[in-house]
Amino acid sequence: MKVPEKYYDEVFDFKGQWDLPSKCGLKIIKQEKQTFVIATELYQDNPGTSVTYAGYSLFRQICESKELSEKEVTYLECNPDTNSKLSFYDEEYFEVTFPEVNGESGRAVYRQLSPDETKALFA
């Protein structure tokens, strides 16, 4: 179940839960008024924590590494299509909002992007 390289521009190494070495695919799309950071699950090519479980810690590590302002980035998680017969391996993109960015506490909010939103992202 290899993730096609079309989903990411680089493999990003990060510290997962309990500082476990972890990897994700990373793509940064800068548009006129918005910057999108897309973290992609790499499944078996990731020796550690998944993108979803890494959550805000991964987002913060990406922003620090790439010198991006957390408040000026739209963070997306991608579950790439791996051509599996199992439906939970279908391509999906989620916009994730972390309350920590605004100094609040609570759980991250996930919103699945529609097919049209996903197409517009890569247009």
Side-chain angles (χ1 to χ4, degrees):
M1 185 174 22
K2 185 85 173 147
V3 174
E5 292 182 7
K6 71 176 185 173
Y7 285 100
Y8 55 91
D9 294 326
E10 68 179 274
V11 173
F12 184 79
D13 294 298
F14 65 96
K15 289 182 180 180
Q17 292 178 329
W18 306 287
D19 289 337
L20 186 66
S22 304
K23 296 178 182 292
C24 70
L26 180 63
K27 182 181 286 283
I28 298 174
I29 300 172
K30 293 186 178 186
Q31 295 180 347
E32 279 184 39
K33 298 179 182 180
Q34 204 165 12
T35 298
F36 294 92
V37 168
I38 305 171
T40 299
E41 292 286 1
L42 294 180
Y43 301 117
Q44 80 271 15
D45 290 332
N46 177 11
T49 306
S50 74
V51 168
T52 301
Y53 285 118
Y56 179 65
S57 173
L58 172 56
F59 175 61
R60 192 180 68 246
Q61 289 176 64
I62 292 170
C63 287
E64 287 175 7
S65 174
K66 302 301 180 181
E67 298 180 353
L68 299 169
S69 167
E70 292 179 10
K71 291 186 178 199
E72 297 174 5
V73 167
T74 299
Y75 181 73
L76 305 173
E77 288 184 7
C78 173
N79 296 320
D81 183 7
T82 58
N83 296 313
S84 172
K85 293 179 183 178
L86 303 173
S87 64
F88 57 84
Y89 288 120
D90 289 346
E91 179 181 272
E92 297 177 320
Y93 286 84
F94 295 90
E95 180 178 349
V96 186
T97 305
F98 299 105
E100 294 92 339
V101 171
N102 296 315
E104 300 169 6
S105 62
R107 293 185 177 197
V109 176
Y110 286 76
R111 181 184 70 80
Q112 186 172 358
L113 272 61
S114 71
D116 288 340
E117 287 175 300
T118 302
K119 283 180 192 174
L121 187 63
F122 297 103

